[in-house]
Amino acid sequence: MTQWESIPFHILFAAQLLVGAGLVVSWVLWFARVRAVAERFTPRRLRYHPSMAWVGWFIPVVNLFLPKQIANDVWHASGPPGQGDGTAPAPRLLQAWWAVCLVTVVLGPLVLSPWTALLGRVPFSAEVQEGQTCCETDYRYEFNLETWLTLVLHVLVVPAAVVAARYVRRLTAIQAAKSPAERRGPSDL
């Protein structure tokens, strides 16, 4: 039985897809919300239509630059008075968040493939030993370039999640401090 035929593998893969889809929906909804709050801070001064805060993530090629431009606009509009003119450079946290976002967007499809599926199987010896059938041959696994890249991407998910969480927390706190309505919380609005 290969890995693709095993029931536990399919359950884990389905769980990975469901959690990933939930994270994407949550992220896009949060991003659209902070864009809407920034619009209240600086009406009609943000560069893109509010719908682009969520649509921009799904347009190929455009998703490589538009979300970052919207994030810059939101960050500057949410900043303290006098810094919302958009001329100050974006902070390192915003730059780090975008760097991990780009890696995720560009190389993300490799994360969906299990790194073990990319291992190369090579028999230890081509000859069959006495008392051994052809199906009992011992194999060794070789890590090729795709295997290493996918394994590294699986590990890089952790720092990417940490940077994204810090970005969400900081931007949400900045907006909450600037807006009395936001201090009440999203459920009270």
Side-chain angles (χ1 to χ4, degrees):
M1 180 184 315
T2 67
Q3 181 177 12
W4 290 99
E5 297 167 351
S6 70
I7 291 174
F9 171 78
H10 287 297
I11 292 170
L12 289 175
F13 188 69
Q16 182 181 6
L17 288 177
L18 283 172
V19 168
L23 287 171
V24 167
V25 168
S26 298
W27 179 264
V28 170
L29 289 174
W30 173 82
F31 199 71
R33 182 177 182 273
V34 295
R35 168 41 176 97
V37 171
E39 181 73 29
R40 288 193 303 236
F41 295 150
T42 56
R44 293 181 296 280
R45 290 192 47 213
L46 301 179
R47 290 183 278 185
Y48 300 100
H49 191 270
S51 65
M52 293 310 289
W54 61 272
V55 173
W57 288 97
F58 301 105
I59 302 172
V61 181
V62 171
N63 63 357
L64 299 177
F65 62 88
L66 185 65
K68 171 62 165 68
Q69 291 176 345
I70 293 171
N72 284 340
D73 290 352
V74 168
W75 190 275
H76 291 299
S78 301
Q83 293 182 359
D85 60 359
T87 59
R92 287 187 196 158
L93 179 60
L94 183 58
Q95 303 296 348
W97 163 76
W98 186 244
V100 297
C101 263
L102 277 181
V103 169
T104 303
V105 167
V106 173
L107 301 176
L110 283 176
V111 174
L112 290 177
S113 61
W115 66 271
T116 54
L118 298 173
L119 288 172
R121 277 180 35 162
V122 179
F124 273 122
S125 66
E127 57 190 59
V128 177
Q129 304 294 325
E130 187 176 324
Q132 187 180 41
T133 65
C134 66
C135 301
E136 295 174 342
T137 305
D138 290 328
Y139 289 94
R140 64 184 169 89
Y141 292 96
E142 291 184 343
F143 278 50
N144 52 31
L145 179 61
E146 294 86 9
T147 307
W148 283 110
L149 181 61
T150 305
L151 186 58
V152 167
L153 287 174
H154 276 82
V155 171
L156 285 179
V157 165
V158 173
V162 168
V163 170
R166 288 187 64 211
Y167 172 68
V168 166
R169 185 175 177 167
R170 182 131 176 239
L171 182 57
T172 302
I174 288 170
Q175 286 188 339
K178 189 170 181 176
S179 171
E182 292 300 309
R183 281 191 213 124
R184 290 191 312 244
S187 62
D188 298 333
L189 292 177

